[in-house]
Amino acid sequence: MTKFIFVTGGVVSSLGKGITAASLGTLMKRRGVRVSIIKMDPYLNVDAGTMNPFQHGEVFVTDDGAETDLDLGHYERFIDERLSYNNSVTAGKVYSEVINKERIGRYNGGTVQVIPHITNEIQESILRVAQGQDILIAEIGGTVGDIEGQPFLEAIRQFSGRVGRANVVYCHVTLIPYIAAAGELKTKPTQHSVNELRRIGIQPDIIVCRSQFPLQSDMKDKIALFCSVSSDSIFQALDEDTIYSVPISLQKQGLDSYLLKRLGIDNKADSQLDDWMEFLERRANREEEVEIALVGKYTSIKDAYLSVNEALTHAAIHNGVKVRIRPIETEEVEEKGAENVLAGVDGILVPGGFGSRGMEGKIMAAGYARENGIPYFGLCLGMQAAVIDFARNVARLASANSSEMDPGTPNPVVHMMEEQKSVDCLGGTMRLGAYPCKLKEGSKAYRSYSETSEVLERHRHRYEFNNAYRERLGAAGLDITGIYPEKDLVEIVEIPSHPWFVGVQFHPEFLSRPLRPHPLFRDFIAAAKVGKTR
Ligand code: GLN
């Protein structure tokens, strides 16, 4: 039967609970255990689709088109499994399900309450993902003590009664702050947060302590004493210079064996982490550096382009170079001119985005890359910007001069299709999730993807390349190298006469993995590296 690891957080948010959960996943997977991860977010949004990147960072998209919390991206990168709609549960989703059931009379006239109806629904959503797995890891968003989180904590408390206490591990991730004036690490906040957990009936089995400095054994003893755990179930997560070191550091402390033993999983396999270690070594041994301009609207927010940053890092490590990101606000390109903010970079990347603000700056960035032979990678809106630049400045289509990207008045070369307009959902339906893309033989994309004819990539967008302009743009030198066959939609454009100019209508960043960089990111960085030495 499936065993369960519940990860909660104490003291403060942003502790790296997601990375801890993901790392547990890596360690279990590398012992040959079948594992999946689920994120439970106490907020009332049904999904992350409508959330502003300024507040919540990037929206991660799964194959089946779920718009989820960015932690799902960490999970996929760390356990190298494709997750889906069911791996992301929010309070909003749970409540709307319960309310729907109430409306169709499923509760037979009973009073519908948080306990047991909401808590049961939460447990059902955990069991749904557990099928076919040896271990399911569930991370509870937020911090213990939050009002919103209580139904989730209550649900995971009850859960051990349902599946047996021996089949459940509660792992509490907490902060051990360093008080500079006293020159000491302090365990008190951890004691308080464990007390808070115990107040609602959860006794943690494992405590993972985030701290700036190593914990001495007397500190571990103190935490053990106050929190009723043994010292050997206290693990440390020191600040690391890369998140990818966390699984290794936890493995060195024996966390994987501890978990397996505690869950009664008979597993004698050694953990297979050699390739992961090699990846870290390659990462540490890089000297040369390429500089990539990231031209976006949320560049001041660390997590807004999380998967893009990770994909660039994976690709750079693969190419043996470091990548320095020059964050450029699109409006700065408009105000100061492309030359003044982009000069000297080795590559230009325009990521996805929504709304008309800053669109002109993205078009200018694409034009600057095109004219100066600088490697260009356009993702979704970044491809659309490249197409508009090309239509205006190479094909000289007067109709491409409008740059409005809002519904109702889209740019003619990148438009909303008629069939989308009929559904009024925040201004038209979105194409979400994985769609096949057929590649043109001999193109850069075709070569990048090891000469396969069809690939599957994830989407999140409304507008499409307008096929009415295909021939005119093609005649002017824009090569269409990827097509979604069923609807004949343009997925990839390239400029063959340029060293490396590729725009994609999808989001390749979601499929990049540390040990398997996305082929297009890999070759974009390779081109930036070549350009540098030319
Ligand atoms: N706003 C554009 C569209 O909806 C691009 C979306 C994106 O970049 N993800 O088509």
Side-chain angles (χ1 to χ4, degrees):
M1 77 164 284
T2 312
K3 316 278 172 151
F4 298 85
I5 302 175
F6 292 111
V7 180
T8 55
V11 184
V12 291
S13 58
S14 306
L15 269 183
K17 207 165 13 106
I19 301 295
T20 306
S23 300
L24 299 183
T26 309
L27 294 182
M28 293 300 99
K29 178 136 191 225
R30 296 307 181 112
R31 294 287 291 254
V33 168
R34 285 172 302 172
V35 63
S36 190
I37 315 195
I38 181 170
K39 175 81 191 278
M40 320 208 91
D41 273 308
Y43 49 70
L44 287 173
N45 304 62
V46 173
D47 62 33
T50 54
M51 289 176 127
N52 186 331
F54 276 122
Q55 270 184 34
H56 210 73
E58 98 179 348
V59 174
F60 188 79
V61 181
T62 55
D63 279 348
D64 58 354
E67 299 175 278
T68 72
D69 187 86
L70 50 77
D71 273 321
L72 263 80
H74 286 312
Y75 302 164
E76 284 205 350
R77 289 185 282 271
F78 274 71
I79 66 169
D80 199 8
E81 296 281 341
R82 292 180 170 220
L83 304 180
S84 71
Y85 179 81
N86 286 338
N87 294 80
S88 167
V89 176
T90 68
K93 200 171 181 182
V94 171
Y95 273 82
S96 74
E97 238 149 76
V98 169
I99 291 168
N100 285 341
K101 285 187 187 162
E102 186 272 335
R103 289 290 80 188
I104 57 170
R106 284 272 195 91
Y107 300 114
N108 296 327
T111 309
V112 181
Q113 292 175 301
V114 172
I115 305 173
H117 301 97
I118 296 293
T119 46
N120 280 350
E121 191 68 44
I122 294 172
Q123 292 179 52
E124 292 307 322
S125 59
I126 297 170
L127 289 169
R128 219 171 282 143
V129 184
Q131 292 206 0
Q133 307 295 345
D134 297 317
I135 292 184
L136 178 70
I137 300 167
E139 177 194 348
I140 318 297
T143 306
V144 169
D146 295 346
I147 290 179
E148 297 88 348
Q150 286 188 6
F152 285 94
L153 295 175
E154 172 60 14
I156 64 168
R157 182 192 70 77
Q158 292 175 11
F159 200 82
S160 68
R162 188 166 183 156
V163 299
R165 183 64 179 89
N167 297 317
V168 172
V169 160
Y170 295 105
C171 169
H172 191 55
V173 183
T174 172
L175 177 73
I176 308 288
Y178 176 73
I179 306 297
E184 273 178 51
L185 290 167
K186 292 291 185 187
T187 65
K188 188 73 87 190
T190 295
Q191 297 175 34
H192 280 300
S193 82
V194 169
N195 272 343
E196 188 64 26
L197 262 184
R198 289 200 293 209
R199 198 177 58 75
I200 52 175
I202 297 175
Q203 167 63 48
D205 300 297
I206 289 180
I207 300 183
V208 174
C209 301
R210 286 299 316 276
S211 66
Q212 260 174 298
F213 302 103
L215 299 183
Q216 304 308 331
S217 67
D218 58 334
M219 287 231 113
K220 281 195 178 179
D221 292 342
K222 194 166 164 190
I223 298 169
L225 181 67
F226 282 99
C227 302
S228 314
V229 293
S230 60
S231 333
D232 64 358
S233 45
I234 298 173
F235 295 86
Q236 296 189 46
L238 293 173
D239 296 346
E240 305 275 355
D241 63 344
T242 163
I243 52 175
Y244 298 111
S245 294
V246 177
I248 303 294
S249 132
L250 293 173
Q251 201 272 336
K252 280 191 186 140
Q253 299 172 61
L255 180 55
D256 53 341
S257 298
Y258 185 93
L259 280 172
L260 292 167
K261 194 166 136 231
R262 168 69 184 69
L263 288 168
I265 297 179
D266 185 22
N267 180 308
K268 307 212 168 37
D270 283 338
S271 73
Q272 301 292 332
L273 286 161
D274 292 354
D275 50 354
W276 199 279
M277 297 288 284
E278 269 166 39
F279 166 79
L280 289 174
E281 262 161 47
R282 242 181 296 136
R283 178 185 175 279
N285 295 321
R286 297 171 295 167
E287 272 162 29
E288 205 187 321
E289 181 174 82
V290 295
E291 189 179 20
I292 304 296
L294 180 71
V295 185
K297 280 201 294 195
Y298 318 106
T299 51
S300 57
I301 306 299
K302 195 176 122 274
D303 285 342
Y305 301 111
L306 183 65
S307 293
V308 172
N309 285 321
E310 292 304 311
L312 285 170
T313 303
H314 306 158
I317 293 173
H318 179 92
N319 280 291
V321 293
K322 293 184 196 162
V323 59
R324 175 144 42 104
I325 297 185
R326 189 191 292 184
I328 307 275
E329 275 294 313
T330 41
E331 280 166 316
E332 234 183 285
V333 186
E334 294 164 17
E335 283 155 25
K336 300 185 183 152
E339 165 70 26
N340 293 319
V341 290
L342 293 170
V345 296
D346 306 307
I348 296 176
L349 187 148
V350 177
F354 288 86
S356 55
R357 179 176 74 83
M359 188 61 196
E360 280 304 315
K362 297 185 182 185
I363 299 169
M364 288 164 73
Y368 181 78
R370 177 182 50 74
E371 281 173 359
N372 294 285
I374 302 169
Y376 178 84
F377 197 14
L379 313 180
C380 206
L381 190 61
M383 164 191 133
Q384 299 172 351
V387 170
I388 296 172
D389 163 64
F390 198 89
R392 280 184 192 170
N393 301 315
V394 182
R396 304 257 167 227
L397 301 178
S399 49
N401 280 332
S402 149
S403 68
E404 280 295 323
M405 293 296 290
D406 282 337
T409 53
N411 186 295
V413 291
V414 175
H415 72 154
M416 194 188 292
M417 296 186 302
E418 278 312 312
E419 63 188 69
Q420 295 172 280
K421 292 181 189 161
S422 53
V423 187
D424 189 24
C425 161
L426 290 177
T429 50
M430 283 233 256
R431 190 143 70 102
L432 282 169
Y435 287 85
C437 168
K438 200 168 173 344
L439 302 170
K440 178 174 164 181
E441 256 180 60
S443 63
K444 286 195 178 76
Y446 181 78
R447 273 177 273 141
S448 289
Y449 286 106
S450 320
E451 317 203 334
T452 22
S453 59
E454 199 167 282
V455 292
L456 210 58
E457 290 282 359
R458 293 181 184 169
H459 292 249
R460 181 175 184 243
H461 64 108
R462 249 179 218 109
Y463 301 119
E464 301 285 354
F465 183 113
N466 186 348
N467 280 339
Y469 290 90
R470 215 144 116 180
E471 271 181 27
R472 267 177 285 174
L473 293 178
L478 188 71
D479 202 9
I480 312 283
T481 63
I483 293 286
Y484 167 40
E486 197 183 311
K487 295 206 166 169
D488 195 30
L489 297 174
V490 172
E491 296 278 24
I492 310 179
V493 299
E494 295 180 22
I495 302 178
S497 57
H498 184 285
W500 207 90
F501 193 103
V502 177
V504 294
Q505 188 56 81
F506 45 81
H507 288 277
E509 67 270 27
F510 295 142
L511 293 182
S512 183
R513 305 283 179 259
L515 307 183
R516 222 165 0 92
H518 189 283
L520 293 175
F521 274 91
R522 182 198 64 210
D523 291 352
F524 170 57
I525 293 293
K529 186 178 163 187
V530 169
K532 201 180 174 67
T533 51
R534 234 194 347 235

PDB file of all heavy atoms in Angstrom, residues 351-355 379-382 384 405 430 460-464 505 507, ligand 1:
ATOM      1  N   PRO A 351      10.384  36.282 -22.702  1.00  0.00           N
ATOM      2  CA  PRO A 351       9.518  35.229 -22.185  1.00  0.00           C
ATOM      3  C   PRO A 351       8.043  35.534 -22.423  1.00  0.00           C
ATOM      4  O   PRO A 351       7.707  36.558 -23.017  1.00  0.00           O
ATOM      5  CB  PRO A 351       9.830  35.244 -20.684  1.00  0.00           C
ATOM      6  CG  PRO A 351      10.184  36.660 -20.392  1.00  0.00           C
ATOM      7  CD  PRO A 351      10.813  37.209 -21.651  1.00  0.00           C
ATOM      8  N   GLY A 352       7.171  34.676 -21.913  1.00  0.00           N
ATOM      9  CA  GLY A 352       5.731  34.862 -22.056  1.00  0.00           C
ATOM     10  C   GLY A 352       5.238  36.050 -21.250  1.00  0.00           C
ATOM     11  O   GLY A 352       5.938  36.569 -20.381  1.00  0.00           O
ATOM     12  N   GLY A 353       4.044  36.489 -21.569  1.00  0.00           N
ATOM     13  CA  GLY A 353       3.460  37.603 -20.827  1.00  0.00           C
ATOM     14  C   GLY A 353       2.058  37.881 -21.320  1.00  0.00           C
ATOM     15  O   GLY A 353       1.631  37.355 -22.338  1.00  0.00           O
ATOM     16  N   PHE A 354       1.367  38.729 -20.587  1.00  0.00           N
ATOM     17  CA  PHE A 354      -0.015  39.050 -20.937  1.00  0.00           C
ATOM     18  C   PHE A 354      -0.245  40.550 -20.910  1.00  0.00           C
ATOM     19  O   PHE A 354       0.415  41.266 -20.166  1.00  0.00           O
ATOM     20  CB  PHE A 354      -0.984  38.353 -19.966  1.00  0.00           C
ATOM     21  CG  PHE A 354      -1.054  36.875 -20.202  1.00  0.00           C
ATOM     22  CD1 PHE A 354      -0.135  36.020 -19.609  1.00  0.00           C
ATOM     23  CD2 PHE A 354      -2.007  36.343 -21.054  1.00  0.00           C
ATOM     24  CE1 PHE A 354      -0.169  34.652 -19.849  1.00  0.00           C
ATOM     25  CE2 PHE A 354      -2.060  34.983 -21.303  1.00  0.00           C
ATOM     26  CZ  PHE A 354      -1.144  34.138 -20.698  1.00  0.00           C
ATOM     27  N   GLY A 355      -1.177  41.015 -21.738  1.00  0.00           N
ATOM     28  CA  GLY A 355      -1.545  42.430 -21.733  1.00  0.00           C
ATOM     29  C   GLY A 355      -0.693  43.242 -22.685  1.00  0.00           C
ATOM     30  O   GLY A 355       0.380  42.813 -23.111  1.00  0.00           O
ATOM     31  N   LEU A 379       9.648  33.165 -26.324  1.00  0.00           N
ATOM     32  CA  LEU A 379       8.749  32.163 -25.766  1.00  0.00           C
ATOM     33  C   LEU A 379       7.338  32.733 -25.745  1.00  0.00           C
ATOM     34  O   LEU A 379       7.088  33.734 -25.078  1.00  0.00           O
ATOM     35  CB  LEU A 379       9.143  31.801 -24.337  1.00  0.00           C
ATOM     36  CG  LEU A 379      10.633  31.520 -24.070  1.00  0.00           C
ATOM     37  CD1 LEU A 379      10.841  31.172 -22.594  1.00  0.00           C
ATOM     38  CD2 LEU A 379      11.128  30.390 -24.952  1.00  0.00           C
ATOM     39  N   CYS A 380       6.444  32.129 -26.471  1.00  0.00           N
ATOM     40  CA  CYS A 380       5.035  32.524 -26.476  1.00  0.00           C
ATOM     41  C   CYS A 380       4.893  33.994 -26.892  1.00  0.00           C
ATOM     42  O   CYS A 380       5.074  34.316 -28.057  1.00  0.00           O
ATOM     43  CB  CYS A 380       4.420  32.224 -25.108  1.00  0.00           C
ATOM     44  SG  CYS A 380       2.655  31.955 -25.224  1.00  0.00           S
ATOM     45  N   LEU A 381       4.653  34.901 -25.955  1.00  0.00           N
ATOM     46  CA  LEU A 381       4.564  36.307 -26.333  1.00  0.00           C
ATOM     47  C   LEU A 381       5.865  36.752 -27.026  1.00  0.00           C
ATOM     48  O   LEU A 381       5.854  37.612 -27.894  1.00  0.00           O
ATOM     49  CB  LEU A 381       4.307  37.165 -25.088  1.00  0.00           C
ATOM     50  CG  LEU A 381       3.957  38.622 -25.343  1.00  0.00           C
ATOM     51  CD1 LEU A 381       2.683  38.762 -26.142  1.00  0.00           C
ATOM     52  CD2 LEU A 381       3.817  39.393 -24.030  1.00  0.00           C
ATOM     53  N   GLY A 382       6.970  36.141 -26.648  1.00  0.00           N
ATOM     54  CA  GLY A 382       8.263  36.457 -27.249  1.00  0.00           C
ATOM     55  C   GLY A 382       8.323  36.053 -28.713  1.00  0.00           C
ATOM     56  O   GLY A 382       8.990  36.699 -29.530  1.00  0.00           O
ATOM     57  N   GLN A 384       5.504  35.942 -30.540  1.00  0.00           N
ATOM     58  CA  GLN A 384       4.557  36.860 -31.159  1.00  0.00           C
ATOM     59  C   GLN A 384       5.231  38.211 -31.426  1.00  0.00           C
ATOM     60  O   GLN A 384       5.026  38.823 -32.483  1.00  0.00           O
ATOM     61  CB  GLN A 384       3.322  37.010 -30.262  1.00  0.00           C
ATOM     62  CG  GLN A 384       2.591  35.669 -30.065  1.00  0.00           C
ATOM     63  CD  GLN A 384       1.463  35.729 -29.035  1.00  0.00           C
ATOM     64  OE1 GLN A 384       1.311  36.716 -28.322  1.00  0.00           O
ATOM     65  NE2 GLN A 384       0.678  34.665 -28.946  1.00  0.00           N
ATOM     66  N   MET A 405      -2.524  44.118 -27.880  1.00  0.00           N
ATOM     67  CA  MET A 405      -2.671  42.677 -27.693  1.00  0.00           C
ATOM     68  C   MET A 405      -3.913  42.373 -26.871  1.00  0.00           C
ATOM     69  O   MET A 405      -4.095  41.279 -26.380  1.00  0.00           O
ATOM     70  CB  MET A 405      -1.427  42.114 -27.008  1.00  0.00           C
ATOM     71  CG  MET A 405      -0.184  42.191 -27.859  1.00  0.00           C
ATOM     72  SD  MET A 405      -0.289  41.191 -29.344  1.00  0.00           S
ATOM     73  CE  MET A 405      -0.223  39.561 -28.628  1.00  0.00           C
ATOM     74  N   MET A 430      -8.299  29.940 -23.767  1.00  0.00           N
ATOM     75  CA  MET A 430      -6.844  29.806 -23.840  1.00  0.00           C
ATOM     76  C   MET A 430      -6.507  28.410 -24.318  1.00  0.00           C
ATOM     77  O   MET A 430      -7.218  27.439 -24.018  1.00  0.00           O
ATOM     78  CB  MET A 430      -6.245  29.988 -22.455  1.00  0.00           C
ATOM     79  CG  MET A 430      -6.181  31.419 -22.034  1.00  0.00           C
ATOM     80  SD  MET A 430      -4.516  31.808 -21.520  1.00  0.00           S
ATOM     81  CE  MET A 430      -4.753  31.807 -19.791  1.00  0.00           C
ATOM     82  N   ARG A 460       0.189  28.012 -23.037  1.00  0.00           N
ATOM     83  CA  ARG A 460      -0.694  28.824 -22.197  1.00  0.00           C
ATOM     84  C   ARG A 460      -0.857  30.168 -22.882  1.00  0.00           C
ATOM     85  O   ARG A 460      -0.126  31.122 -22.604  1.00  0.00           O
ATOM     86  CB  ARG A 460      -0.086  29.015 -20.804  1.00  0.00           C
ATOM     87  CG  ARG A 460      -0.980  29.843 -19.883  1.00  0.00           C
ATOM     88  CD  ARG A 460      -0.415  29.927 -18.483  1.00  0.00           C
ATOM     89  NE  ARG A 460      -1.304  30.628 -17.591  1.00  0.00           N
ATOM     90  CZ  ARG A 460      -0.996  31.765 -16.984  1.00  0.00           C
ATOM     91  NH1 ARG A 460       0.182  32.330 -17.146  1.00  0.00           N
ATOM     92  NH2 ARG A 460      -1.875  32.343 -16.198  1.00  0.00           N
ATOM     93  N   HIS A 461      -1.763  30.241 -23.820  1.00  0.00           N
ATOM     94  CA  HIS A 461      -1.930  31.492 -24.557  1.00  0.00           C
ATOM     95  C   HIS A 461      -3.274  31.563 -25.259  1.00  0.00           C
ATOM     96  O   HIS A 461      -3.972  30.555 -25.389  1.00  0.00           O
ATOM     97  CB  HIS A 461      -0.814  31.649 -25.588  1.00  0.00           C
ATOM     98  CG  HIS A 461      -0.866  30.592 -26.647  1.00  0.00           C
ATOM     99  ND1 HIS A 461      -1.248  30.835 -27.931  1.00  0.00           N
ATOM    100  CD2 HIS A 461      -0.620  29.264 -26.587  1.00  0.00           C
ATOM    101  CE1 HIS A 461      -1.219  29.720 -28.625  1.00  0.00           C
ATOM    102  NE2 HIS A 461      -0.850  28.746 -27.837  1.00  0.00           N
ATOM    103  N   ARG A 462      -3.593  32.774 -25.688  1.00  0.00           N
ATOM    104  CA  ARG A 462      -4.859  33.014 -26.379  1.00  0.00           C
ATOM    105  C   ARG A 462      -4.649  33.275 -27.867  1.00  0.00           C
ATOM    106  O   ARG A 462      -5.357  32.779 -28.713  1.00  0.00           O
ATOM    107  CB  ARG A 462      -5.473  34.284 -25.803  1.00  0.00           C
ATOM    108  CG  ARG A 462      -6.664  34.030 -25.028  1.00  0.00           C
ATOM    109  CD  ARG A 462      -7.306  35.227 -24.403  1.00  0.00           C
ATOM    110  NE  ARG A 462      -7.760  34.734 -23.116  1.00  0.00           N
ATOM    111  CZ  ARG A 462      -7.234  35.052 -21.966  1.00  0.00           C
ATOM    112  NH1 ARG A 462      -6.261  35.924 -21.887  1.00  0.00           N
ATOM    113  NH2 ARG A 462      -7.690  34.517 -20.862  1.00  0.00           N
ATOM    114  N   TYR A 463      -3.655  34.086 -28.171  1.00  0.00           N
ATOM    115  CA  TYR A 463      -3.487  34.523 -29.560  1.00  0.00           C
ATOM    116  C   TYR A 463      -2.705  33.508 -30.379  1.00  0.00           C
ATOM    117  O   TYR A 463      -1.923  32.723 -29.838  1.00  0.00           O
ATOM    118  CB  TYR A 463      -2.763  35.873 -29.591  1.00  0.00           C
ATOM    119  CG  TYR A 463      -3.515  36.923 -28.836  1.00  0.00           C
ATOM    120  CD1 TYR A 463      -2.948  37.553 -27.733  1.00  0.00           C
ATOM    121  CD2 TYR A 463      -4.810  37.274 -29.208  1.00  0.00           C
ATOM    122  CE1 TYR A 463      -3.655  38.513 -27.020  1.00  0.00           C
ATOM    123  CE2 TYR A 463      -5.523  38.227 -28.498  1.00  0.00           C
ATOM    124  CZ  TYR A 463      -4.938  38.843 -27.406  1.00  0.00           C
ATOM    125  OH  TYR A 463      -5.642  39.774 -26.707  1.00  0.00           O
ATOM    126  N   GLU A 464      -2.921  33.576 -31.678  1.00  0.00           N
ATOM    127  CA  GLU A 464      -2.220  32.670 -32.597  1.00  0.00           C
ATOM    128  C   GLU A 464      -1.650  33.477 -33.749  1.00  0.00           C
ATOM    129  O   GLU A 464      -2.167  34.542 -34.110  1.00  0.00           O
ATOM    130  CB  GLU A 464      -3.204  31.629 -33.179  1.00  0.00           C
ATOM    131  CG  GLU A 464      -3.911  30.754 -32.160  1.00  0.00           C
ATOM    132  CD  GLU A 464      -3.030  29.666 -31.562  1.00  0.00           C
ATOM    133  OE1 GLU A 464      -1.876  29.503 -32.011  1.00  0.00           O
ATOM    134  OE2 GLU A 464      -3.510  28.985 -30.632  1.00  0.00           O
ATOM    135  N   GLN A 505       5.646  29.171 -29.908  1.00  0.00           N
ATOM    136  CA  GLN A 505       4.357  29.570 -29.350  1.00  0.00           C
ATOM    137  C   GLN A 505       4.085  28.884 -28.000  1.00  0.00           C
ATOM    138  O   GLN A 505       3.189  29.249 -27.272  1.00  0.00           O
ATOM    139  CB  GLN A 505       3.252  29.250 -30.377  1.00  0.00           C
ATOM    140  CG  GLN A 505       1.885  29.772 -30.022  1.00  0.00           C
ATOM    141  CD  GLN A 505       1.852  31.270 -29.782  1.00  0.00           C
ATOM    142  OE1 GLN A 505       1.798  32.060 -30.694  1.00  0.00           O
ATOM    143  NE2 GLN A 505       1.917  31.682 -28.524  1.00  0.00           N
ATOM    144  N   HIS A 507       5.720  26.865 -24.251  1.00  0.00           N
ATOM    145  CA  HIS A 507       6.602  27.176 -23.112  1.00  0.00           C
ATOM    146  C   HIS A 507       7.572  26.024 -22.857  1.00  0.00           C
ATOM    147  O   HIS A 507       7.328  25.189 -21.977  1.00  0.00           O
ATOM    148  CB  HIS A 507       5.765  27.432 -21.855  1.00  0.00           C
ATOM    149  CG  HIS A 507       5.021  28.722 -21.897  1.00  0.00           C
ATOM    150  ND1 HIS A 507       5.602  29.922 -21.555  1.00  0.00           N
ATOM    151  CD2 HIS A 507       3.756  29.006 -22.251  1.00  0.00           C
ATOM    152  CE1 HIS A 507       4.713  30.901 -21.692  1.00  0.00           C
ATOM    153  NE2 HIS A 507       3.583  30.370 -22.115  1.00  0.00           N
TER     154      HIS A 507
HETATM  155  N1  GLN B   1      -0.697  37.127 -24.267  1.00  0.00           N
HETATM  156  C1  GLN B   1      -0.316  36.232 -25.310  1.00  0.00           C
HETATM  157  C2  GLN B   1      -1.440  35.286 -25.675  1.00  0.00           C
HETATM  158  O1  GLN B   1      -2.358  35.112 -24.890  1.00  0.00           O
HETATM  159  C3  GLN B   1       0.907  35.440 -24.910  1.00  0.00           C
HETATM  160  C4  GLN B   1       0.695  34.520 -23.761  1.00  0.00           C
HETATM  161  C5  GLN B   1       1.971  34.009 -23.191  1.00  0.00           C
HETATM  162  O2  GLN B   1       3.040  34.521 -23.476  1.00  0.00           O
HETATM  163  N2  GLN B   1       1.897  33.018 -22.326  1.00  0.00           N
HETATM  164  O3  GLN B   1      -1.424  34.713 -26.710  1.00  0.00           O
END
